[in-house]
């Protein structure tokens, strides 16, 4: 079973020490005997140790920067939410298809923001602007926030902040099972807790450093018992030898493990594997031994924003995926809502 994340090296921005969470984290890492370095700004975190790109990349993923979020303008996060709430960036996982490799290319380290009250104030302004409409915030656009939250508890505070709001909703997704500290959060049903799941083969081969399927599903059952609305993102759906059986076994395990209370308000989001040319280059640089199939010839080209198209599965393969996965969801979880297949 994978252990909760612990950084090997911590950078602290001086301004972070003006906030209670910044001070707490400094003390925590000092007590744990973890190496701490001061930095004037996160852009100066250039000296990640390592002799070559691969070593630096790996070391960056075990480096935590404790910083202050300066931009309090939130990005939009359509279609699943109106805004992305910035609590952290970066992730310790080694999923070979992770899109953070392209979006955060030069900064693969993890950064957590300690000015959470200011971030919540900004969220409140966004909610007020949209009243009487509801406003949804996504907390996992730029990191796997659950995976680092046992250290910071900022997600827990966000869950409780939205719990008390009138028209705010929170959602996030994770590949980690370290959820225990979130079970007693006063969420008031305003947070949808989602797990990213996949066929066992896909997790074992392409999602190194994340929780096993069984552990994720057991964590989901605990989350459901704690009364959270629950969701699953099956992504990326990846064609491999025995994929039909692999996905069927995944749904069977889900069916055996989830309590009955989880089933009335359950969502599924289905996302097929895709890649862009720039993503393929960066994957091959970060994971040169990857077995991930990235052959443009086998795929269908889909035009995308800014002229960067995606390579998705062929039309008939997409139909087969959709038909298979929908069938299992309808069989095991007839009450669940399939939000989309893309
Ligand atoms: Fe990326 Fe999520 Fe994997 Fe982290 S757990 S590396 S954010 S895909």
């Amino acid at each position: 079973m994978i252990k909760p994340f612990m950084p090997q090296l911590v950078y602290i921005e001086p301004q972070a020490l003006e906030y209670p969470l910044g001070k707490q984290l400094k003390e925590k890492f000092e007590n744990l005997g973890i190496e701490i370095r001061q930095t004037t700004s996160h852009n100066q975190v250039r000296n990640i140790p390592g002799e070559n790109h691969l070593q630096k990349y790996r070391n960056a993923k075990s480096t935590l920067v404790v910083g202050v979020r300066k931009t309090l303008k939130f990005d939009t996060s359509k279609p699943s939410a109106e805004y992305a709430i910035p609590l952290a960036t970066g992730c310790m996982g080694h999923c070979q298809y992770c899109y953070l490799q392209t979006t955060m290319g030069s900064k693969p380290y993890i950064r957590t923001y300690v000015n959470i009250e200011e971030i919540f104030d900004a969220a409140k302004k966004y909610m007020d602007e949209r009243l009487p409409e509801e406003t949804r915030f996504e907390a996992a656009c730029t990191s796997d926030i659950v995976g680092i939250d046992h250290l910071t508890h900022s997600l827990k505070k966000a869950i409780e902040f939205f719990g008390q709001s009138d028209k705010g909703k929170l959602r996030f997704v994770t590949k980690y099972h370290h959820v225990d500290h979130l079970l007693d959060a006063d969420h008031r049903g305003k947070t949808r807790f989602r797990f990213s799941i996949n066929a066992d083969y896909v997790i074992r081969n392409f999602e190194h450093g994340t929780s096993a399927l069984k552990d994720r599903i057991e964590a989901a059952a605990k989350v459901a018992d704690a009364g959270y609305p629950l969701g699953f993102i099956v992504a990326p759906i990846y064609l491999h030898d025995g994929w039909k059986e692999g996905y069927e076994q995944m749904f069977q395990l889900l069916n055996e493990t989830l309590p009955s209370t989880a089933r009335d308000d359950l969502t599924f989001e289905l996302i097929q594997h895709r890649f862009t040319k720039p993503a393929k280059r960066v994957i091959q640089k970060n994971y040169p031994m990857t077995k991930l199939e990235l052959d443009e010839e086998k795929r269908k080209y889909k035009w995308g924003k800014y002229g960067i198209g995606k390579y998705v599965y062929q039309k008939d393969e997409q139909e087969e995926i959709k038909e298979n996965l929908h069938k299992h969801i309808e069989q095991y979880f007839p009450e669940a809502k399939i939000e989309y297949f893309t």
Side-chain angles (χ1 to χ4, degrees):
M1 190 179 273
I2 185 164
K3 291 206 190 102
F5 169 67
M6 195 49 74
Q8 310 266 307
L9 174 63
V10 172
Y11 284 90
I12 301 186
E13 296 169 16
Q15 254 196 311
L17 297 172
E18 292 165 19
Y19 296 85
L21 181 57
K23 286 190 202 129
Q24 263 172 40
L25 289 173
K26 179 167 185 273
E27 211 180 299
K28 178 188 240 119
F29 294 124
E30 274 170 358
N31 290 339
L32 287 163
I34 291 171
E35 183 184 347
I36 300 180
R37 296 183 189 173
Q38 293 276 337
T39 175
T40 48
S41 108
H42 81 110
N43 290 323
Q44 292 190 346
V45 186
R46 293 188 203 278
N47 300 329
I48 301 275
E51 278 166 19
N52 53 41
H53 170 76
L54 286 183
Q55 282 183 9
K56 280 182 195 286
Y57 180 73
R58 292 201 87 83
N59 289 337
K61 277 186 165 275
S62 43
T63 299
L64 179 71
V65 180
V66 177
V68 174
R69 177 76 182 188
K70 303 246 164 55
T71 338
L72 291 169
K73 190 172 173 301
F74 294 2
D75 286 333
T76 53
S77 179
K78 297 278 181 189
S80 70
E82 276 71 47
Y83 294 106
I85 181 162
L87 300 172
T89 53
C91 178
M92 56 283 166
H94 278 277
C95 304
Q96 297 179 6
Y97 30 59
C98 178
Y99 69 96
L100 296 184
Q101 291 178 87
T102 27
T103 54
M104 313 215 10
S106 59
K107 303 185 186 84
Y109 47 83
I110 303 152
R111 189 157 183 249
T112 186
Y113 302 116
V114 295
N115 53 331
I116 43 179
E117 296 303 330
E118 291 166 11
I119 296 170
F120 295 160
D121 286 346
K124 178 154 188 331
K125 289 196 188 107
Y126 283 112
M127 286 188 271
D128 288 347
E129 272 172 15
R130 283 177 45 86
L131 284 173
E133 295 292 313
E134 184 170 87
T135 308
R136 296 165 303 167
F137 294 85
E138 168 66 61
C141 281
T142 51
S143 71
D144 191 307
I145 188 72
V146 173
I148 49 175
D149 202 59
H150 64 98
L151 296 170
T152 63
H153 286 208
S154 37
L155 179 63
K156 185 172 191 178
K157 293 196 183 90
I159 291 171
E160 298 194 331
F161 168 76
F162 287 106
Q164 279 164 15
S165 73
D166 269 347
K167 295 282 182 181
K169 288 267 174 78
L170 182 66
R171 50 205 284 133
F172 48 83
V173 59
T174 184
K175 290 185 168 73
Y176 288 90
H177 71 279
H178 308 110
V179 301
D180 287 359
H181 73 288
L182 299 172
L183 299 178
D184 67 354
D186 186 12
H187 60 77
R188 303 190 191 183
K190 302 263 180 68
T191 290
R192 186 168 296 275
F193 208 128
R194 287 129 84 223
F195 287 83
S196 164
I197 53 171
N198 217 314
D200 201 38
Y201 169 91
V202 179
I203 294 180
R204 283 176 196 276
N205 282 282
F206 306 116
E207 299 189 351
H208 297 151
T210 66
S211 297
L213 176 62
K214 190 170 158 287
D215 298 336
R216 293 185 205 175
I217 294 181
E218 282 170 4
K222 290 197 239 175
V223 160
D225 280 334
Y228 282 96
L230 186 65
F232 291 98
I233 304 190
V234 187
I237 303 163
Y238 179 77
L239 295 184
H240 57 280
D241 276 348
W243 68 271
K244 285 186 187 161
E245 293 76 22
Y247 286 103
E248 178 163 18
Q249 283 160 10
M250 179 193 81
F251 283 112
Q252 279 167 352
L253 187 61
L254 210 53
N255 183 43
E256 286 158 19
T257 318
L258 282 193
S260 55
T261 45
R263 295 168 192 243
D264 322 332
D265 183 8
L266 185 61
T267 59
F268 284 96
E269 295 158 77
L270 310 176
I271 307 173
Q272 63 173 308
H273 180 248
R274 75 269 320 277
F275 61 92
T276 61
K277 273 193 193 289
K280 176 176 172 172
R281 276 195 292 275
V282 74
I283 292 169
Q284 289 174 336
K285 190 171 164 212
N286 292 339
Y287 302 100
M289 305 296 282
T290 186
K291 288 198 282 179
L292 202 59
E293 184 271 301
L294 298 167
D295 182 355
E296 291 90 341
E297 301 286 307
K298 293 190 179 154
R299 301 290 184 110
K300 177 174 150 43
Y301 185 74
K302 196 172 161 189
W303 290 92
K305 263 195 270 177
Y306 318 113
I308 303 176
K310 298 182 254 208
Y311 293 90
V312 294
Y313 286 117
Q314 300 290 348
K315 198 89 200 114
D316 54 335
E317 293 171 321
Q318 293 191 29
E319 284 307 317
E320 222 186 337
I321 294 174
K322 200 171 159 186
E323 195 185 304
N324 258 276
L325 273 68
H326 277 233
K327 183 178 77 190
H328 299 312
I329 296 173
E330 280 152 23
Q331 178 189 351
Y332 295 118
F333 305 102
E335 313 285 321
K337 181 171 171 229
I338 300 176
E339 296 205 317
Y340 54 82
F341 167 79
T342 177

